[in-house]
Amino acid sequence: MKRGALRFGVLDIGTAKTVALVLEGVPGWSVKVLGYGQAATRGVERGQVVDMPALIRTVTRAMNRARRMAKVGDGPLPIWSNLAARPVQALTHRGAVGLPNNMVEEEDVLRAEEAARAVPIEHNQAVLHIIRRGFFLDDKPVHWPVGMYGYRLEAEVHIITVPRTDLLNLKQALEDAGLLVEAFVLNPLAVGEAVLSDTEREMGVIVCDIGAGTTDVAVYAGHEVDFATVLPLGGNDLTRDLAQILSLPWQEAERLKVEHGHASPDAVQEDQWLTIHPFGEGEAVRIRARDVAAILEARIRDIFQKVARAVREAGKWGMFPAGLVLTGGTSHLPGLRQMLARELKMPVRIARLHPNLTWPQAMSGPEYATALGVVYFAQAYLEHGQGTARVPAAASGDFWSRVKAFLRGLLP
Ligand SMILES: Nc1ncnc2c1ncn2[C@@H]1O[C@H](COP(=O)(O)OP(=O)(O)OP(=O)(O)O)[C@@H](O)[C@H]1O
Ligand SMILES: [Mg+2]
């Protein structure tokens, strides 16, 4: 290990798969993947823990694979993990301070943000993220107030809270797997961080990760996240519809979807036939590929109606000049992009990962956006420390003291 290097782990616990990474922060601010591993998830449904022992086994399996590849042994590693909590609540709050010198100093920014954070939340909720939204100097909006004249500085923050028990259950599972939890990153925020460009974030964009069990939604405007939610819907619902309507075993419905599925029946050849083996039928049955697509299309419509409703209810359904960006395993479904562009009347793209670090080739698909986003959050923490928008509120002081020691290690 290089002098002053800092090792940490990253997890993306999805409903279908769990991804583990072992990374090293090295002097010069680069972060390097030392090892990675994956395991089929057990014990999670629609993003939520439903069986602790099964989840602990899953996490252990994925983490051990990553550790083995990284050759790090089983010593304690600070872990950054995703979290798919539900329901997500958010509030925007301002805090004001007077400016004794009639000039804004860094100190005043911290004081104003401190005041903005001081807001009562429901007792069963826990603060997960505090996002810097902007400043007002004598009621006038400014991007960055330091160095400007004024009498009164206000800071605006967006506070994201989640059910405390969701946080505690996942933390407990990770601790029981022998891991040391550093911080959690809410799924939609991780995804936004991983795949959106600065221009998209500035202009206004909506990002949706459709995984197996959840659809994670985030709206960005003015660069920062403006709305985020986790909906209990995903690719498993597409599979379940096929299984129920066509009387298929789960595995066969899943295979039918992944190998022959399409999001738009009109785009499927009328004379394309598929062979399936339904329950109760002695032999194989032929079905039109177009009819399979019609079942999938109906569920995708349903998912996006719910996405639109959630965003609209939060008062955030407006202009998304940069359109919709899709990630998650379900975004592999052929025809999905075109179908959604037509239905939603906005530009739609399937995200490609462009990691700013050496990233495993095996994890280049859109279903790895969440894991990459969690790495970015950890990386921002290493680079800038606490007090940046990208640091989860729950990040513990412990790791920060190690980061500071790490920084000191860089000094001559
Ligand atoms: N070619 C494909 N067509 C349609 N669906 C696909 C395809 N490939 C994978 N999927 C679906 O993607 C889903 C898995 O996606 P992903 O790996 O993003 O989920 P996850 O992260 O484990 O779960 P979640 O984030 O929802 O908790 C499964 O439902 C799978 O069927
Ligand atoms: Mg996922």
Side-chain angles (χ1 to χ4, degrees), residues 12-15 17 82 187 209 211-212 214 216 328 367 370:
D12 169 26
I13 302 166
T15 304
K17 54 134 184 20
N82 75 314
N187 276 16
D209 182 286
T214 69
D216 311 320
E367 62 273 47
T370 312

Side-chain angles (χ1 to χ4, degrees), residues 1-7 24-27 30 32 406:
M1 183 152 116
K2 289 211 182 75
R3 197 173 68 90
L6 200 73
R7 280 184 184 157
E24 189 174 78
V26 290
S30 62
K32 197 164 76 175
F406 164 73

Side-chain angles (χ1 to χ4, degrees), residues 268-273 286 288-290:
V268 177
Q269 295 281 333
E270 210 173 343
D271 59 355
Q272 192 191 338
W273 291 84
R286 273 160 43 95
R288 271 182 215 275
R290 186 174 266 201

Side-chain angles (χ1 to χ4, degrees), residues 246 248 252 255-256 274-278 283-287 292:
L246 304 173
L248 296 177
E252 185 166 356
R255 188 187 57 81
L256 181 66
L274 303 167
T275 307
I276 55 173
H277 303 81
E283 53 211 68
V285 168
R286 273 160 43 95
I287 178 178
V292 171

